[in-house]
Amino acid sequence: MKHQAIQLYQYHVWANEKVFNHLKELPRETYDAVVQSVFPSISEALIHIYRIDTMWLGAMSGESYEKMVAGIQRVLEETKGIGLENLQTLYQQAAEQFEAFFANEDMDAVKPYPHPQYGTLNASYADIVQHLVNHGTYHRGNITAMLRQQGQRGIPTDYAFYLYEIR
């Protein structure tokens, strides 16, 4: 039986895919339209989720804080002006990297995550996955609000809908 954290991560991937596929059905300008919200556009919100996911994959893989900061800069450059389909491809590649990582790890193993400002967080891989899922859920909610500001409907990505679909 797979670890609950892996199922939660698979939910995160499913929910992100739902958002991408929904956005593909909407007018193209919806993705980059400037709105008054937490992020200036839906594209920026999606890039933020991707950036944080990849940063934490680096942290779980044992990268130093300095290397993660450099990785964030690389992601910012890589995603500047990126289109919806290309960003979706990056998400899919990141999901494959996470799945490969999880296949070789004890999800309950606790590791130190040092941060120069906050100190060291001792957390399991499962704890970090929970954080990623919560973070993604929060910002997918922001995306729904941005869609509504543009006169578009959101797409349900609640965990219960995921459970209905996989069962």
Side-chain angles (χ1 to χ4, degrees):
M1 185 168 154
K2 68 182 162 192
H3 196 284
Q4 175 67 22
I6 293 173
Q7 181 168 319
L8 285 174
Y9 182 76
Q10 290 168 340
Y11 154 70
H12 179 63
V13 171
W14 172 90
N16 289 333
E17 280 293 307
K18 287 285 190 190
V19 170
F20 276 106
N21 292 334
H22 179 63
L23 289 170
K24 288 179 184 177
E25 297 172 1
L26 301 177
R28 186 80 179 136
E29 62 272 10
T30 304
Y31 173 69
D32 284 316
V34 176
V35 295
Q36 287 293 107
S37 189
V38 175
F39 294 95
S41 67
I42 290 170
S43 61
E44 289 298 319
L46 287 168
I47 289 168
H48 173 76
I49 296 168
Y50 172 73
R51 187 176 72 235
I52 298 306
D53 281 8
T54 59
M55 182 204 71
W56 277 108
L57 179 59
M60 289 189 294
S61 299
E63 289 182 0
S64 69
Y65 179 79
E66 294 74 25
K67 188 171 181 182
M68 287 187 311
V69 169
I72 288 171
Q73 288 307 116
R74 179 191 48 77
V75 167
L76 287 174
E77 289 300 315
E78 174 184 40
T79 57
K80 192 173 287 183
I82 194 167
L84 181 66
E85 290 80 8
N86 289 336
L87 185 57
Q88 185 177 21
T89 297
L90 291 178
Y91 265 72
Q92 291 164 344
Q93 290 169 350
E96 291 168 6
Q97 292 170 345
F98 270 99
E99 293 287 345
F101 178 81
F102 295 153
N104 299 311
E105 299 298 334
D106 172 5
M107 295 304 291
D108 295 315
V110 175
K111 283 187 58 178
Y113 300 96
H115 188 280
Q117 182 178 355
Y118 299 109
T120 298
L121 170 67
N122 291 304
S124 68
Y125 294 128
D127 290 332
I128 301 305
V129 168
Q130 182 69 61
H131 168 70
L132 290 177
V133 172
N134 289 348
H135 178 259
T137 299
Y138 175 77
H139 289 306
R140 285 187 297 272
N142 297 147
I143 290 168
T144 295
M146 289 186 267
L147 285 169
R148 289 185 178 151
Q149 284 180 359
Q150 296 181 61
Q152 304 293 342
R153 66 174 180 80
I155 187 79
T157 59
D158 295 70
Y159 186 63
F161 293 123
Y162 166 74
L163 292 176
Y164 276 120
E165 192 167 307
I166 66 168
R167 294 193 175 129

